[in-house]
Amino acid sequence: MRSLPLPLALTARISPVAVLACAGWALTSGPAVSSAAAGHQTARTTPAQSSSGSSGPSSGGAASQAYSSAPSPCTSVPAATVKSLVPGAKTQGKEIPSTDTKLRRTCSWNALQGYDYRWLDVSFELSGSAQEAQQEYQQRVKAKSGGGAVPGLGDSAYSVVNLTTEDKQQTREGVVMVQVSNALVIVTYNGSDFETKKAPDTDEINKGAIQAARAAVGALGGGQSQSG
């Protein structure tokens, strides 16, 4: 068996990833505050598309607040998808503690199978209006340049994949951000191979992150303030 010495090495390598993943959402999560996001490309806007009945741009009123509570993040991705994206992970995931679970919830799945490691986070964040959510979305897109739009997902969606190398170990991480009315869905998916020190290819990580994001957006129906 070659796996006995691995956990100690993995702890040293994986712990920073875990800490950064949790700390990143804690520092940037909402409810998304209203702040200037000028100077960046305006996202596609169809606020409260299924529940408000409004056909025009959001005015920041009640009609633009389609979601009143964040859905359960650990049931937002089907078990089959979790098994595919994070082999060996417990499909129920682990919910990250939140100061306000009505407005902000995150679930995490991670596992090591052999020397192949995968990590998946799905986060829901609610703002007071679609305009606030769009501003927050634009700010986050601006902070993660180099990606591109994801057509047909939410009101606006953006995907970016980056490769990092530390101590000759590669990690490739994909982030998908989706705005749907007053909700933001943020998916982070990354992977490493601790035997080859290589990372999964860009297409695998990007497609996996988008697959999880589509499932999570579908789960938003459970947080709607009114049915359409």
Side-chain angles (χ1 to χ4, degrees):
M1 296 292 289
R2 63 182 180 177
S3 61
L4 285 177
L6 185 61
L8 289 177
L10 281 177
T11 298
R13 295 173 190 263
I14 294 171
S15 292
V17 177
V19 170
L20 286 173
C22 296
W25 298 131
L27 288 172
T28 59
S29 58
V33 294
S34 176
S35 56
H40 190 67
Q41 175 181 334
T42 302
R44 303 193 312 275
T45 307
T46 54
Q49 57 187 158
S50 64
S51 58
S52 69
S54 173
S55 60
S58 167
S59 63
S64 69
Q65 188 172 342
Y67 304 103
S68 58
S69 62
S72 172
C74 291
T75 59
S76 64
V77 180
T81 302
V82 172
K83 289 179 180 179
S84 173
L85 298 181
V86 193
K90 295 180 179 180
T91 55
Q92 64 266 35
K94 178 179 176 59
E95 184 159 358
I96 307 302
S98 171
T99 55
D100 190 339
T101 55
K102 187 176 180 180
L103 299 178
R104 184 187 317 108
R105 298 182 73 176
T106 299
C107 190
S108 181
W109 297 262
N110 63 87
L112 176 70
Q113 190 167 75
Y115 282 77
D116 203 23
Y117 183 75
R118 293 292 184 277
W119 179 291
L120 173 67
D121 276 353
V122 173
S123 179
F124 295 96
E125 301 176 17
L126 301 188
S127 297
S129 69
Q131 285 183 331
E132 289 181 11
Q134 187 182 85
Q135 287 177 340
E136 182 69 13
Y137 168 85
Q138 290 173 347
Q139 283 187 320
R140 296 192 186 195
V141 167
K142 187 175 182 180
K144 287 188 174 292
S145 60
V150 182
L153 183 57
D155 295 338
S156 303
Y158 177 84
S159 172
V160 62
V161 178
N162 288 306
L163 176 69
T164 59
T165 303
E166 185 175 352
D167 193 22
K168 299 182 180 179
Q169 173 64 59
Q170 293 183 346
T171 299
R172 184 166 270 117
E173 178 175 276
V175 177
V176 176
M177 295 175 279
V178 188
Q179 180 228 338
V180 189
S181 187
N182 65 309
L184 289 181
V185 178
I186 302 170
V187 170
T188 303
Y189 180 51
N190 63 47
S192 300
D193 187 315
F194 290 102
E195 183 174 36
T196 66
K197 293 186 178 292
K198 301 295 184 180
D201 63 37
T202 298
D203 193 51
E204 176 185 343
I205 293 297
N206 190 47
K207 285 183 176 179
I210 292 173
Q211 181 183 6
R214 290 192 186 280
V217 168
L220 270 173
Q224 285 186 331
S225 57
Q226 53 183 323
S227 60

